[in-house]
Amino acid sequence: MFTPAGKLGKTLIKKNLVTPAQWDEAMRAAKEDPDVSVDQFLIEKGYIEEVEILKIDANELGHAYVNLSEVDFDPKLVKMIPRHIAEKYKVMIVSRADGKINLAMANPLNPFAIDDINTLTNSKILPMLGSEKQIMEKIDEVYTQLESADDILGGMVQEDQQMKAIEDEETLSTTALASAAEEAPVIRLSNSIIMQAVKDGASDIHVEPSKTSVRIRFRIDGVMHEEMKFPRKLHAALVSRFKILAKLDIGEKRVPQDGRIPLRVEGKEIDLRVATLPTVWGEKVTMRILDKSSILIGLEQLGFESNDLKRFRELINKPYGIIFSTGPTGSGKTTTLYAVLNELNGVDKNLISIEDPIEYQLPGVAQAQVNTKAGLTFAGGLRSMLRQDPDIVMVGELRDKETAEVAIQASLTGHLVLATIHANDSASTITRLFHMGVEPYLVASSVICILAQRLVRKICPECKVDYTPPPEALQRLGIPPGTKLYRGQGCEFCRETGYLGRVGVYEMMQLDDELRLLITEEASAPDIRRKGIELGMYTLQQDGIRKVIAGVTSIEEAMRVLFDTGVKT
């Protein structure tokens, strides 16, 4: 802390960042324990975020404050300071222009650090105050990444002249591409990308070319993060490596291709679903990471409230009818239906599914893959499945009138049908079926439940703290004034995001006679929705608020996922 305690206290109280009682509590704690500072106490108790104190300190010092989580570090600049010097002085280069370097420093008043780095870089140093914790974490992250990349690139430069030709990938022959993809450095690079993605819990890997570089991004808990950046000349060899592993045609770069890579990583059975896409700068590769062990989860782990879970269990154990899981792509629909199949699976039941694609293989379930070229469509496959004497049928996605009508007939002839469908919420699923051309009386007589869902990030348990938001923010969301909410401060376990893992948010509409009557009358989605709420249905937003109050997710995450997507409250 660079600001005198008295001045800091007055500033924090004046800005309504802490209350006088909280400041007095911190002062008492600091007096009782000399190892505890006032600012450290306030931060650890969750009364204030570190950034607020850093901004006040920066103002006191006359320097700018920099949040390193928002900085895109330039490898060439970072290398100007050796790692051991950066660690010794706790500094990171932020930017450089006109012979001046903006330098993030844990202690901008350290003259030795400024002098040594001035000599090293031959540049004027402009100190900026940064979080010591952030600086040390970025040093570890960025320098480790640079060292790994340098090792790989160094090996390529030493091996042969072949890699020089990689820069002009349009002229490369298939033989040259295959040879480059089998070079040890390229193998190490591709392996390290996959290993890091699995370690970080990513759901997708994106390999994205540009005019001068190749960017690697991971999707973690539904949010994209840039992880690595390499020279453009690596693009052809890296893409070819992934295509070879997925058994794709490395010579074909004009059309999209799809494939799979089965792997065993850290004892886990992993499937990578690989998709290539031609772009103006070359092929973009996206790989969906499918962890076979992660899908074998119970309904209890999905995020249902206890009463909703009890009702849902009763519904899935009915002998016939249709249960829809609805929501946008990536909302966890398939995971929910797989959890249902896991629960219902047993030697006394015949379970069959038709999917496109089959994301996970479920023991005890006969799974069929749609193959349009061979004539196996959802509708045709579903008809064939009904001749296999099934008890429970899962339809990967209900897309058209023909499939919908076959599914409805199956439910009316004594089968429990599970299906996903793309709709905004439970009520709009009904109107979506109308728009497909399905007769209202068929919808009313077959559907027993519609489960709309989204996924929200869970607050990291390692850095979770409570706080009391402003009354107006609580009032806007219908939360009682004075309610304590929770958020993550950011730590090494959650990659400084404050979130770790995701959980489902659900809106379960159970159809009764009143709703069935509305459906047969072709009522609008708002009317159906109002009736559902009147009968006790919790909306997506209401379930999200329940999870905010319970400390499962943050108010910001609920707003991002549930209140900015066009879903009406």
Side-chain angles (χ1 to χ4, degrees):
M1 183 173 72
F2 297 97
T3 307
K7 186 174 183 179
L8 177 64
K10 289 179 182 177
T11 305
L12 292 175
I13 293 170
K14 183 179 179 181
K15 291 187 173 185
N16 294 320
L17 295 172
V18 299
T19 65
Q22 289 170 339
W23 177 256
D24 291 341
E25 183 186 353
M27 291 293 287
R28 286 195 301 272
K31 286 179 181 178
E32 292 170 4
D33 186 351
D35 293 330
V36 176
S37 65
V38 180
D39 56 336
Q40 179 187 348
F41 179 86
L42 291 170
I43 294 166
E44 289 180 353
K45 288 288 286 185
Y47 293 152
I48 191 170
E49 293 186 4
E50 182 188 26
V51 61
E52 300 296 345
I53 292 178
L54 287 171
K55 287 178 179 178
I56 293 170
D57 283 342
N59 186 62
E60 176 72 16
L61 295 172
H63 294 304
Y65 162 74
V66 59
N67 182 352
L68 295 190
S69 66
E70 299 174 354
V71 176
D72 185 11
F73 290 97
D74 184 336
K76 291 180 181 177
L77 292 181
V78 171
K79 288 180 182 179
M80 293 178 73
I81 302 177
R83 179 170 184 160
H84 70 279
I85 297 293
E87 289 175 337
K88 176 183 176 181
Y89 291 128
K90 299 173 184 174
V91 299
M92 281 288 283
I93 292 183
V94 175
S95 59
R96 185 173 187 263
D98 302 323
K100 299 175 184 177
I101 281 178
N102 285 313
L103 186 70
M105 305 180 69
N107 181 9
L109 300 180
N110 187 338
F112 303 106
I114 294 172
D115 288 346
D116 283 359
I117 294 169
N118 174 273
T119 303
L120 271 172
T121 61
N122 193 30
S123 304
K124 182 178 179 180
I125 305 303
L126 303 177
M128 304 176 77
L129 180 62
S131 159
E132 178 179 331
K133 180 182 176 184
Q134 270 194 348
I135 289 172
M136 298 309 291
E137 288 172 350
K138 285 296 179 182
I139 287 173
D140 183 57
E141 175 189 329
V142 177
Y143 279 93
T144 300
Q145 182 177 310
L146 287 174
E147 288 158 5
S148 174
D150 286 345
D151 289 343
I152 293 167
L153 293 173
M156 290 178 170
V157 170
Q158 295 169 12
E159 299 207 353
D160 56 19
Q161 297 297 313
Q162 185 178 19
M163 292 309 298
K164 292 181 179 179
I166 298 296
E167 296 182 42
D168 186 11
E169 55 185 277
E170 291 300 322
T171 64
L172 283 176
S173 67
T174 301
T175 304
L177 281 169
S179 180
E182 295 299 333
E183 295 290 338
V186 175
I187 293 174
R188 289 202 305 273
L189 178 57
S190 60
N191 290 348
S192 70
I193 291 170
I194 295 171
M195 292 286 286
Q196 188 64 45
V198 173
K199 178 184 174 184
D200 290 347
S203 62
D204 300 86
I205 302 169
H206 293 255
V207 182
E208 303 168 325
S210 67
K211 184 177 181 179
T212 58
S213 63
V214 184
R215 178 174 67 170
I216 309 297
R217 291 198 293 170
F218 297 163
R219 186 178 293 280
I220 301 173
D221 291 337
V223 179
M224 296 284 276
H225 300 268
E226 183 173 317
E227 298 295 325
M228 311 170 193
K229 190 174 282 188
F230 301 110
R232 164 76 186 184
K233 66 182 179 181
L234 289 180
H235 176 252
L238 188 58
V239 169
S240 295
R241 176 64 185 168
F242 288 129
K243 289 173 75 172
I244 287 171
L245 291 173
K247 296 180 171 56
L248 303 180
D249 182 355
I250 63 173
E252 179 56 78
K253 294 176 283 186
R254 299 165 298 174
V255 297
Q257 298 185 63
D258 297 295
R260 301 177 82 97
I261 304 175
L263 297 168
R264 189 173 181 83
V265 180
E266 296 183 347
K268 297 179 180 179
E269 293 291 335
I270 301 291
D271 263 354
L272 295 184
R273 198 168 73 204
V274 182
T276 67
L277 178 71
T279 73
V280 66
W281 299 118
E283 288 180 287
K284 179 185 187 299
V285 179
T286 302
M287 293 177 281
R288 169 67 55 89
I289 301 173
L290 304 174
D291 180 353
K292 294 182 180 179
S293 63
S294 68
I295 201 65
L296 300 176
I297 60 176
L299 291 174
E300 300 88 350
Q301 298 166 271
L302 295 178
F304 284 104
E305 295 297 316
S306 57
N307 287 337
D308 287 345
L309 178 59
K310 181 182 177 182
R311 288 169 53 216
F312 190 58
R313 275 206 163 105
E314 291 171 355
L315 290 167
I316 65 175
N317 279 286
K318 287 186 176 294
Y320 56 85
I322 298 181
I323 295 176
F324 281 114
S325 177
T326 188
T329 301
S331 59
K333 300 186 298 295
T334 303
T335 299
T336 297
L337 293 192
Y338 277 3
V340 172
L341 290 177
N342 283 329
E343 174 125 342
L344 299 178
N345 199 357
V347 293
D348 60 332
K349 288 186 174 68
N350 182 17
L351 281 68
I352 303 179
S353 76
I354 182 161
E355 305 170 53
D356 184 25
I358 296 173
E359 295 193 6
Y360 297 92
Q361 295 176 3
L362 299 175
V365 180
Q367 296 171 271
Q369 166 81 51
V370 167
N371 188 338
T372 307
K373 291 181 180 178
L376 180 57
T377 62
F378 270 115
L382 184 54
R383 285 195 183 91
S384 299
M385 287 161 55
L386 296 176
R387 294 192 286 272
Q388 295 292 321
D389 185 32
D391 295 294
I392 299 165
V393 174
M394 173 180 151
V395 182
E397 185 180 343
L398 204 150
R399 300 173 180 170
D400 53 50
K401 179 183 178 182
E402 183 183 9
T403 309
E405 289 182 339
V406 176
I408 287 171
Q409 290 303 321
S411 72
L412 294 175
T413 53
H415 304 88
L416 180 66
V417 179
L418 311 172
T420 72
I421 187 170
H422 285 290
N424 212 25
D425 57 19
S426 54
S428 60
T429 300
I430 302 295
T431 53
R432 173 81 197 280
L433 291 168
F434 291 168
H435 294 154
M436 283 183 184
V438 180
E439 292 293 338
Y441 77 91
L442 289 175
V443 176
S445 58
S446 60
V447 179
I448 59 175
C449 174
I450 301 171
L451 189 70
Q453 66 181 84
R454 300 289 189 275
L455 291 175
V456 295
R457 292 179 292 174
K458 295 189 293 184
I459 298 171
C460 172
E462 299 294 332
C463 60
K464 181 177 178 178
V465 295
D466 61 63
Y467 73 106
T468 304
E472 58 271 16
L474 294 174
Q475 184 180 10
R476 193 163 58 246
L477 295 171
I479 301 174
T483 301
K484 277 192 176 181
L485 300 185
Y486 302 84
R487 61 188 171 199
Q489 292 181 302
C491 65
E492 60 179 316
F493 293 97
C494 61
R495 297 162 50 90
E496 300 300 329
T497 63
Y499 300 98
L500 193 63
R502 289 192 291 177
V503 69
V505 176
Y506 297 98
E507 174 182 291
M508 185 166 65
M509 178 181 284
Q510 181 178 351
L511 271 65
D512 69 352
D513 291 341
E514 293 184 62
L515 280 170
R516 294 184 196 283
L517 180 60
L518 280 178
I519 291 170
T520 56
E521 294 172 349
E522 296 188 55
S524 66
D527 288 341
I528 294 171
R529 181 182 180 80
R530 276 192 290 271
K531 177 57 70 174
I533 294 171
E534 181 185 316
L535 295 171
M537 179 186 79
Y538 276 86
T539 66
L540 284 166
Q541 291 80 9
Q542 288 171 334
D543 190 40
I545 294 301
R546 285 195 290 186
K547 288 179 169 61
V548 168
I549 294 173
V552 175
T553 190
S554 70
I555 196 167
E556 294 83 6
E557 178 68 0
M559 292 289 290
R560 180 183 74 87
V561 176
L562 302 171
F563 290 84
D564 297 328
T565 58
V567 179
K568 295 184 181 358
T569 56

